Amino acid sequence: MKKIVAIYPGSFDPVTNGHLDLIHRGCKLFDRLIVAIARNPDKGDSLFSLDDRMEMLKAMTADIENVTIDAFEGLLMTYCIEKNANAVLRGIRAVSDYEFELQMALMNRKIEPRVETVFMMPAEKYSYLSSRIVREIASFGGPLTGLVPEFVEERLHRRVAERRSATFAIPTK
Ligand code: PNS
């Protein structure tokens, strides 16, 4: 039988419990799931480096056999063909996600009709969760319990503190 390899692309800056929920669901459905971190030249300044995002994702998925963590640059469809992937997995939390996701899925289909986009819903308790909101809460020192794994929470506090000390560093000359 044909093996289904799916790519779950995203920024993962940082990975949240919502992403992990989707990864677990995806792993049950597909033979292999490649979580692909976008290098994001268009999003400008990421909070975490690609290496940090990769390390957090690897640590949080170490117990899942059919998952691989990777990074990609350029067009998602080019990467899918490179990896012999037949599907792209994307999460839809609320109706507000739909418009952008539809546009992206249809454009990707136009570029590469052999790859199907599959949408999955994370658990309702994560429907309001996003990396952006997690970064914002972390930047104000707010509570992150239940939003990200403890390991990621620690990294967030450390990174925010590093950024803050870099911003307020007084030049010696
Ligand atoms: O987590 P995000 O930021 O919603 O992920 C968006 C991502 C990385 C999946 C999307 O921007 C993407 O696929 N970028 C790669 C470039 C590309 O293929 N663009 C055309 C998409 S229609």
Side-chain angles (χ1 to χ4, degrees), residues 9-11 38 40 43 72 74-77 90 100 104 107-108:
S11 308
N40 279 10
K43 279 210 174 169
F72 77 103
L75 276 185
L76 176 61
M77 288 300 107
R90 289 286 290 173
F100 173 66
M104 207 159 69
M107 185 54 78
N108 281 335

Side-chain angles (χ1 to χ4, degrees), residues 10-105:
S11 308
F12 304 105
D13 185 31
V15 58
T16 68
N17 285 343
H19 293 129
L20 293 171
D21 178 279
L22 215 73
I23 291 172
H24 280 100
R25 287 171 201 279
C27 283
K28 287 191 215 147
L29 197 66
F30 305 113
D31 296 292
R32 194 152 81 89
L33 185 69
I34 304 173
V35 180
I37 310 170
R39 284 181 190 271
N40 279 10
D42 59 327
K43 279 210 174 169
D45 204 17
S46 303
L47 179 60
F48 288 101
S49 69
L50 183 64
D51 285 348
D52 284 344
R53 287 181 274 157
M54 187 94 100
E55 191 195 338
M56 284 186 273
L57 267 162
K58 278 187 177 163
M60 295 304 106
T61 57
D63 58 332
I64 316 173
E65 215 179 276
N66 58 339
V67 138
T68 311
I69 310 299
D70 195 16
F72 77 103
E73 203 162 6
L75 276 185
L76 176 61
M77 288 300 107
T78 310
Y79 175 74
C80 286
I81 296 305
E82 250 172 56
K83 294 284 161 189
N84 283 318
N86 346 59
V88 165
L89 171 65
R90 289 286 290 173
I92 295 228
R93 294 160 297 190
V95 179
S96 49
D97 281 338
Y98 180 74
E99 207 171 326
F100 173 66
E101 292 299 332
L102 177 75
Q103 183 188 30
M104 207 159 69

